[in-house]
């Protein structure tokens, strides 16, 4: 029986670091044991989609939050509800909150938030949103990952990293 993993990321364009890391992981995993499906934001078809589909992945394009939060949430809900996923792995840092809530509601056992940035410039309102979202993420996700030490510290805090509750998975 295969482990079904839903990867949620911005796109599957060839030039992105996250996308290339996912391709490398999947290229070295046993496809009979693991199935990656993807949610990407927007209608743009990325160069890596054909490669993932050739390995048995399904690619779901959803409405970006910036276009319609309600549509985005509804589409994510349907994908997660109907997908029988063992793992939901979100690659959008604190913006993963909605997907993690939905995954929790529908009984996804492993809920991963993966941060791929560190200390970007942010306005005061964005900083508040990030901090509030992160508080909830720490309660709802059961795996917290940073692509490097700085990314883990920026999103989860130094205490979470030192305690081992947040881990570093280098790209």
């Amino acid at each position: 029986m295969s482990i079904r993993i839903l990867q949620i990321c911005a796109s599957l364009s060839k030039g992105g670091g996250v996308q290339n890391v996912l391709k490398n992981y999947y290229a070295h995993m046993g496809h009979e044991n693991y199935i990656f499906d993807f949610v990407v934001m927007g209608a743009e078809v990325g160069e890596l989609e054909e490669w993932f589909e050739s390995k048995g992945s399904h690619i779901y394009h959803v409405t970006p939050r910036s276009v319609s939060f309600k549509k985005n949430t509804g589409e994510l809900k349907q994908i997660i509800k109907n997908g029988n996923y063992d793992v939901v792995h979100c690659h959008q840092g604190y913006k993963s909150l909605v997907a993690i809530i939905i995954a929790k509601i529908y009984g996804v056992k492993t809920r991963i938030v993966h941060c791929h940035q560190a200390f970007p410039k942010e306005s005061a309102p964005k900083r508040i949103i990030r901090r509030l979202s992160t508080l909830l993420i720490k309660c709802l996700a059961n795996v917290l990952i940073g692509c490097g030490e700085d990314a883990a510290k920026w999103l989860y805090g130094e205490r979470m990293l030192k305690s081992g509750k947040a881990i570093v998975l280098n790209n």
Side-chain angles (χ1 to χ4, degrees):
M1 188 165 160
S2 296
I3 296 174
R4 295 181 50 78
I5 303 166
L6 182 64
Q7 302 282 355
I8 300 176
C9 51
S11 77
L12 285 174
S13 294
K14 203 171 194 170
V18 173
Q19 297 82 347
N20 288 323
V21 167
L22 288 170
K23 182 181 178 193
N24 288 335
Y25 288 163
Y26 207 43
H28 295 92
M29 298 171 87
H31 302 288
E32 62 282 346
N33 299 321
Y34 300 95
I35 298 169
F36 277 15
D37 287 345
F38 292 86
V39 167
V40 297
M41 304 300 146
E44 180 186 334
V45 175
E47 299 90 349
L48 294 176
E49 289 189 31
E50 186 177 326
W51 186 87
F52 280 110
E53 287 173 335
S54 75
K55 306 294 183 206
S57 296
H58 290 94
I59 316 291
Y60 302 98
H61 290 264
V62 299
T63 304
R65 275 184 296 262
S66 59
V67 173
S68 172
F69 181 82
K70 184 177 180 178
K71 270 184 104 170
N72 175 273
T73 302
E75 291 164 0
L76 279 174
K77 178 181 167 186
Q78 288 305 309
I79 294 164
I80 293 171
K81 178 182 177 182
N82 298 324
N84 286 331
Y85 291 105
D86 301 294
V87 179
V88 170
H89 187 163
C90 300
H91 295 271
Q92 297 181 299
Y94 72 93
K95 294 178 182 175
S96 302
L97 179 61
V98 171
I100 292 299
I101 291 170
I102 294 168
K104 174 81 172 165
I105 289 169
Y106 288 106
V108 177
K109 298 219 181 312
T110 304
R111 299 170 305 279
I112 303 169
V113 173
H114 200 147
C115 182
H116 293 273
Q117 64 176 340
F119 305 106
K121 287 189 176 192
E122 59 186 349
S123 64
K126 280 196 178 195
R127 188 176 317 111
I128 291 167
I129 290 167
R130 174 178 53 86
R131 287 181 177 167
L132 291 173
S133 295
T134 302
L135 285 174
L136 293 171
I137 282 170
K138 288 177 187 179
C139 296
L140 298 170
N142 45 22
V143 180
L144 305 173
I145 301 174
C147 69
E149 195 171 308
D150 284 344
K153 284 179 187 176
W154 175 72
L155 190 59
Y156 311 116
E158 193 163 348
R159 221 174 337 146
M160 293 291 282
L161 185 60
K162 283 185 177 179
S163 72
K165 292 181 181 174
I167 62 170
V168 172
L169 182 60
N170 291 306
N171 285 352

